[in-house]
């Protein structure tokens, strides 16, 4: 039986497009060839084993963890060469450092014995060339590539495009008949005189769709954060470190930078994920947003192509090296796949928000033709049956059955159980479309282009249709359902999707208050963040991917919407839950985690196959910070409105290192809402009260 490998207890070091996954003791590889452990470059695993022995025995780990961006360190006891007595006297530190196209592992043997310690350090490395989709499906690794001896090491080809070169200065090198490369060093350490050896794996890729950015440094500045809640600075530090390791460029747009969706499975360009992450990071500057917008615009749809779900004006879903096939699921995605219903309106929203944060006018104007095509897609191909709503259906049956952010096959369920039948019109997508139409109209007006009135009228009509079609009720009162099914019936499950409607303009103030109250009821608020599905639904399960688990980015989007809509207490409750969960994950918020109620489990329960780091999970920390600061910029209009919610979701907080209009911005918010702002941009700062 093939099972997706688990990740929750693995040690990871990444620097896109390269990543290394090991057990907590630093060892890479399982005996049966299964599992996610290994060194990857893009969508190919190039090394599936790296097992260390000291004096013929595996050392025993006593501590391990992240050691900075792209680094993981393990502290091991070398008891096979230990001295007498109960105290450990010989230890080994295993430091793994990942850079784009390179993994270096340094081994340091030290001791406190009276006499020097002599030991034979050996590392057995297994070359690999298994595609990512095969590993994710739980299949065993294929036959190992043939390794050839080379100067100080060995070399092999993982596939037609990806080549690996292993070097280990000073090591004995042997290549076994089964392809295993064995490194060995005879070393002697003395008290106060540790000994170091190392091996390096360098990878080149002639054909992958993504590559490391030309500029090594992130587009944002470090943040200086002082907060009454000490959990916040620690979370932000880890988030920004992780985000820096997820930066990528596309070969078809090499001058621009975007964020990979997440490690290990989604280490590439994803329309929705990359857009949301860039949008959440706008308080740090507009450069990442601009790069993301341009990269996606380069492959904006131009034709009708059912095999790829491409349509004129549509923004893509994902880009891969080759066809993505998931054995047992019947899903086969082409290398460039457009099966997403929300990336196109979200692209428009990102362009508008980046413009308001100060993206240079000439860069914005250059993207307006792409924006006009995206708006046209919403009214034409996005509304396939002409009912005025955006909907989707997998026409060929081999793509994604669901094409919103909850894209698992069972994510759109009836409250009493059972799956809704498509075409599906998701609630939150109508909110995104409304916001995109209004935002697009504002950009058209500002740059003297026609069409603004048309899109404002379109948005107003959409809001009325939504009000008439999406609302339903239960014993607690009215709420929007998650979707309309093929028969235009309201799919009545209470889900986090409705929180994404807040701040989009599609709801009235009274309707926003109704939604806000539902979201913080105990059936939705786990105490660690917002559940994706109410515990009152038949399909709820705390470890169901989109049916009860908590996704940090989902919670952060809702926190931002609650704050914008004036529901500060509800925003504060959900934000505090994220901070609590982050502590349980060493401040690295994963892709998702269990929806168990806080207080019923000893800690937040990992979703065992969750990616980490994940771009929008890391960016969620900045989004929640932005919600607490209450910033509403309009650089083109020459103003910055500051209206922090009271009570503050994060207590008193002071931040330096933000950017507005390309210039430094510092903000201090007291727990009572008192505010100081230092903005170097040419704007009028207007503070509430």
């Amino acid at each position: 039986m093939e099972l997706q490998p688990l990740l929750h207890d693995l040690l990871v070091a990444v620097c896109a497009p390269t990543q290394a996954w090991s057990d907590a003791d630093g060892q890479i590889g399982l005996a049966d060839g299964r599992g996610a452990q290994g060194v990857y470059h893009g969508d190919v695993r190039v090394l599936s084993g790296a097992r260390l022995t000291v004096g013929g025995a595996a050392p025993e780990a006593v501590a391990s963890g992240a050691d900075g961006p792209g680094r993981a360190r393990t502290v091991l006891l070398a008891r096979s060469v230990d001295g007498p007595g109960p105290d450990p006297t010989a230890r080994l530190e295993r430091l793994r450092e990942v850079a784009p196209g390179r993994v270096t592992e340094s081994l340091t043997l030290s001791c406190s014995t009276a006499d020097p310690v002599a030991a034979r350090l050996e590392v057995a490395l297994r070359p690999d060339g298994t595609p990512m989709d095969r590993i994710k499906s739980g299949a065993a690794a294929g036959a190992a590539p043939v390794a050839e001896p080379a100067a100080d090491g060995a070399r092999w080809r993982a596939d037609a495009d990806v080549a690996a070169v292993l070097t280990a200065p000073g090591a004995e090198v042997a290549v076994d008949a089964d392809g295993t490369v064995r490194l060995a060093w005879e070393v002697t350490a003395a008290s106060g005189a540790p000994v170091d050896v190392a091996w390096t794996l360098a990878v080149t890729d002639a054909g992958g769709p993504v590559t490391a950015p030309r500029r090594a440094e992130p587009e944002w500045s470090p943040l200086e954060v002082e907060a009454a809640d000490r959990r916040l600075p620690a979370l932000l530090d880890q988030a920004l470190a992780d985000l820096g390791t997820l930066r990528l460029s596309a070969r078809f747009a090499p001058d621009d930078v975007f964020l990979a969706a997440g490690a290990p499975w989604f280490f590439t360009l994803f329309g929705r994920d990359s857009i949301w992450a860039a949008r959440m990071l706008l308080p740090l500057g507009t450069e990442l947003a601009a790069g993301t917008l341009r990269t996606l615009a380069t492959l904006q749809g131009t034709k009708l192509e059912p095999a790829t779900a491409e349509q004129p004006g549509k923004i893509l879903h994902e880009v891969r090296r080759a066809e993505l096939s998931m054995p047992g699921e019947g899903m086969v995605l082409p290398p460039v796949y457009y099966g997403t219903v929300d990336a196109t309106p979200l692209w428009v929203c990102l362009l508008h928000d980046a413009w308001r944060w100060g993206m240079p006018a000439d860069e914005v104007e250059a993207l307006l033709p792409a924006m006009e095509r995206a708006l046209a897609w919403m009214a034409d191909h996005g509304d396939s049956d002409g009912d005025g709503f955006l909907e989707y259906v997998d026409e060929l049956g081999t793509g994604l059955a669901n094409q919103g952010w909850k894209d698992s096959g069972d994510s759109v369920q009836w409250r009493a159980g059972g799956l809704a039948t498509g075409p599906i019109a998701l609630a939150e997508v109508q909110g995104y479309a409304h916001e995109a139409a209004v935002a697009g109209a504002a950009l058209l007006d500002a740059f003297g282009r026609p069409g603004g009135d048309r899109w404002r009228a379109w948005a107003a009509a959409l809001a009325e249709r939504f009000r008439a079609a999406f609302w339903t009720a239960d014993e607690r009162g009215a709420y929007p359902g998650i979707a309309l099914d093929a028969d235009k019936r309201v799919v009545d499950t209470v889900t986090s999707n409705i929180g994404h409607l807040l701040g989009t303009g599609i709801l009235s103030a009274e309707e926003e208050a109704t939604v806000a109250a539902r979201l913080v009821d105990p059936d939705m608020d786990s105490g660690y963040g917002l559940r994706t599905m109410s515990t009152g639904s038949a399909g709820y399960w705390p470890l169901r991917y989109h049916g009860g688990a908590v996704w940090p980015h989902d919670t952060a989007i809702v926190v931002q919407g609650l704050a914008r809509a004036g529901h500060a207490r509800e925003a504060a409750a959900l934000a505090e839950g994220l901070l609590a969960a982050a502590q349980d994950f060493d401040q690295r918020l994963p892709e998702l985690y269990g929806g168990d109620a806080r207080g019923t489990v000893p800690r937040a329960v990992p979703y065992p196959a969750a990616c980490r780091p994940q771009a929008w999970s890391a960016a969620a920390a900045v989004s929640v910070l932005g919600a607490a600061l209450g910033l509403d910029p309009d650089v083109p209009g020459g103003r910055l409105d500051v209206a922090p919610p009271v009570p503050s979701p994060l207590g008193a907080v002071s931040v330096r290192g933000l950017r507005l209009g390309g210039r430094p911005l510092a903000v201090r918010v007291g727990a009572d809402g008192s505010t100081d702002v230092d903005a170097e941009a040419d704007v009028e700062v207007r503070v509430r009260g």
Side-chain angles (χ1 to χ4, degrees):
M1 182 177 181
E2 295 181 348
L3 299 173
Q4 181 175 347
L6 305 185
L7 305 171
H8 66 287
D9 56 354
L10 300 186
L11 186 63
V12 57
V14 307
C15 192
T18 308
Q19 52 184 321
W21 291 77
S22 71
D23 289 328
D25 60 2
Q27 302 282 41
I28 294 177
L30 300 177
D32 63 0
R34 299 177 190 270
Q37 295 93 329
V39 173
Y40 300 79
H41 188 82
D43 272 353
V44 179
R45 186 168 63 185
V46 296
L47 189 75
S48 61
R51 304 197 69 83
L52 168 68
T53 58
V54 182
E60 299 172 61
V62 291
S64 65
D67 191 48
R71 293 159 56 101
R73 186 184 297 272
T74 308
V75 178
L76 306 126
L77 301 183
R79 297 208 284 176
S80 59
V81 295
D82 220 343
D87 292 339
T89 57
R91 70 184 232 173
L92 191 73
E93 292 202 14
R94 189 176 193 177
L95 174 63
R96 188 170 293 134
E97 300 176 89
V98 178
R102 184 176 297 270
V103 176
T104 298
E105 185 168 278
S106 303
L107 307 173
T108 302
L109 179 68
S110 59
C111 67
S112 64
T113 53
D115 297 322
V117 170
R120 182 176 176 86
L121 304 184
E122 296 188 33
V123 181
L125 301 121
R126 182 174 176 81
D128 195 26
T130 308
M132 178 74 76
D133 52 354
R134 182 175 175 85
I135 298 164
K136 188 174 188 292
S137 71
V146 177
E148 301 176 352
D152 289 331
R155 65 175 69 242
W156 62 89
R157 297 203 69 86
D159 69 6
D161 292 321
V162 179
V165 176
L166 173 71
T167 55
E172 303 170 20
V173 182
V175 180
D176 294 350
D178 67 355
T180 300
V181 180
R182 298 189 180 276
L183 309 177
W185 298 266
E186 298 288 352
V187 299
T188 301
S191 181
V195 62
D196 300 285
V197 299
W199 58 268
T200 296
L201 185 68
V203 186
T204 57
D205 182 1
V210 297
T211 185
R214 292 173 175 173
R215 172 182 162 182
E217 299 78 19
E219 287 66 29
W220 53 85
S221 302
L223 288 182
E224 299 176 21
V225 181
E226 297 179 5
D229 191 328
R230 296 306 305 161
R231 297 174 297 181
L232 177 63
L235 174 59
L236 287 164
D237 284 348
Q238 184 64 56
L240 293 183
D242 284 340
L243 290 164
T245 68
L246 294 174
R247 298 169 60 253
L248 278 174
S249 292
R251 288 190 188 273
F252 55 82
D255 295 327
D256 288 310
V257 177
F258 61 89
L259 293 178
W265 315 128
F266 310 122
F267 226 43
T268 186
L269 173 66
F270 271 70
R272 175 194 312 115
D273 300 53
S274 299
I275 289 169
W276 266 123
R279 196 177 184 192
M280 291 175 171
L281 296 181
L282 280 171
L284 306 185
T286 63
E287 292 86 355
L288 180 69
T292 303
L293 289 161
R294 287 192 290 263
T295 300
L296 290 168
T298 300
L299 291 186
Q300 187 176 26
T302 59
K303 61 183 182 295
L304 288 172
E305 180 53 72
T308 64
E310 181 180 355
Q311 295 169 336
K314 196 176 187 181
I315 298 299
L316 62 81
H317 174 62
E318 65 180 283
V319 175
R320 297 281 186 176
R321 172 188 306 273
E323 180 180 271
L324 180 71
S325 176
M326 295 303 296
E329 297 183 15
M331 186 176 73
V332 180
L333 304 184
V336 181
Y337 179 56
Y338 289 82
T340 169
V341 72
D342 53 7
T344 306
L346 287 171
W347 187 95
V348 177
C349 293
L350 175 60
L351 178 63
H352 172 264
D353 288 359
W355 171 62
R356 301 259 299 190
W357 275 95
M359 182 175 164
D362 60 334
E363 297 183 28
V364 175
E365 189 166 21
L367 290 168
L368 292 182
M371 183 195 76
E372 291 170 324
R373 293 191 291 270
L375 291 172
W377 175 87
M378 295 197 309
D380 300 335
H381 302 289
D383 178 12
S384 59
D385 59 6
D387 67 346
F389 296 120
L390 274 65
E391 56 260 316
Y392 62 84
V393 66
D394 175 28
E395 295 183 21
L396 300 184
T398 56
L400 291 170
N402 285 309
Q403 297 182 3
W405 85 259
K406 294 179 180 176
D407 57 5
S408 55
D410 63 352
S411 65
V412 185
Q413 299 190 24
W414 297 92
R415 185 182 177 199
L419 303 183
T421 303
I424 297 291
L426 289 169
E428 78 276 14
V429 173
Q430 315 315 314
Y432 302 156
H434 181 279
E435 185 175 6
V438 174
L443 282 164
L444 293 171
D445 290 351
F447 286 88
R449 300 170 81 100
D453 289 343
R454 175 202 172 187
W455 288 109
R456 276 184 289 271
W458 188 89
L462 175 60
E464 289 305 311
R465 287 192 298 272
F466 183 89
R467 188 165 289 114
F470 271 82
W471 284 80
T472 185
D474 61 10
E475 64 280 0
R476 299 186 192 178
Y479 62 95
I482 183 177
L484 302 182
D485 74 350
D487 297 320
K488 308 304 176 183
R489 297 177 298 171
V490 183
V491 183
D492 60 349
T493 315
V494 179
T495 63
S496 62
N497 300 55
I498 63 176
H500 291 224
L501 299 168
L502 299 168
T504 65
I506 202 168
L507 301 180
S508 67
E510 181 180 356
E511 289 166 340
E512 287 187 321
T514 298
V515 169
R518 291 299 293 244
L519 292 171
V520 295
D521 275 350
D523 66 313
M524 290 299 294
D525 181 3
S526 73
Y528 288 123
L530 186 65
R531 295 185 180 96
T532 42
M533 181 182 289
S534 165
T535 58
S537 299
Y540 168 79
W541 177 246
L543 289 177
R544 180 160 283 129
Y545 197 59
H546 291 129
V550 174
W551 290 62
H553 89 280
D554 183 33
T555 298
I557 290 169
V558 174
V559 167
Q560 187 76 250
L562 287 167
R564 288 171 63 183
H567 299 283
R569 294 188 184 279
E570 292 85 350
L574 294 178
E576 196 282 328
L578 284 183
L579 291 175
Q583 282 192 303
D584 291 342
F585 294 108
D586 296 327
Q587 306 302 338
R588 175 179 277 164
L589 284 168
E591 177 188 14
L592 71 157
Y593 45 88
D596 302 86
R598 189 169 165 186
T600 66
V601 286
R603 50 163 288 179
V605 175
Y607 182 88
C611 294
R612 67 183 201 287
Q614 183 88 350
W616 58 13
S617 292
V622 178
S623 180
V624 170
L625 172 64
L629 299 179
L631 304 177
D632 181 17
D634 182 6
V635 171
R639 65 164 185 82
L640 170 64
D641 289 337
V642 185
V646 180
S648 169
L650 303 174
V653 60
S654 175
V655 187
R656 304 188 69 85
L658 304 174
R659 307 284 291 181
L660 179 68
R663 305 293 297 278
L665 172 67
V667 183
R668 186 199 65 80
V669 174
D672 59 354
S674 59
T675 306
D676 291 321
V677 179
D678 182 8
E680 294 188 17
D682 185 18
V683 294
E684 175 191 1
V685 178
R686 304 187 301 190
V687 178
R688 180 184 59 189

